Amino acid sequence: MKLREIVERLNLQVLAGERGLDREVDSGYCTDLISDFMANGTPGCLWLTLQAHMNVVAVALLTGAAGVVLTGGRGIPPEVCRKAEAEGLPLLSTPCRTFEVAGRLYQLLFSPFHSG
């Protein structure tokens, strides 16, 4: 499924990297541990996290993540948004809890009624 469709369906706010919204998303991964995502994040996945610092951008790029969803409505430092924009990384935000976003993303990607 295209990231753009996920953004629309989950009502996510695009903070940076809008030009990357046509990327394909094939899975999601939820973790707040950078080392966990470095070891287990896969190309094309959408990373859901509470972390909102520069290392998130670097690790998402390193792993080939389709994008990052910052959950819980926390503030995002402007320099993080600028770095994500410069690198073309979709950086998204939602006030929803990680658990809720993960469930909704799972339904979008793996529902038997999904035709993507």
Side-chain angles (χ1 to χ4, degrees):
M1 173 179 280
K2 296 279 187 193
L3 184 51
R4 181 176 311 283
E5 184 177 353
I6 292 170
V7 166
E8 292 170 7
R9 302 273 299 270
L10 298 184
N11 196 30
L12 303 174
Q13 179 184 7
V14 179
L15 302 173
E18 189 167 354
R19 68 182 187 259
L21 293 181
D22 287 325
R23 295 177 179 180
E24 285 290 329
V25 175
D26 58 15
S27 65
Y29 198 86
C30 305
T31 188
D32 296 322
L33 296 173
I34 299 290
S35 59
D36 181 36
F37 193 75
M38 283 178 69
N40 300 299
T42 57
C45 76
L46 189 57
W47 181 10
L48 282 59
T49 184
L50 295 169
Q51 299 293 336
H53 51 76
M54 203 67 80
N55 290 342
V56 170
V57 174
V59 171
L61 292 168
L62 177 72
T63 59
V68 178
V69 179
L70 304 170
T71 61
R74 288 172 174 70
I76 291 84
E79 62 272 12
V80 174
C81 292
R82 285 192 296 270
K83 180 65 173 173
E85 183 65 36
E87 297 291 343
L89 176 71
L91 189 61
L92 313 164
S93 178
T94 179
C96 299
R97 296 178 321 180
T98 304
F99 180 79
E100 179 184 346
V101 178
R104 293 175 63 204
L105 178 62
Y106 183 89
Q107 286 180 325
L108 284 178
L109 293 176
F110 301 111
S111 166
F113 303 107
H114 173 65
S115 61

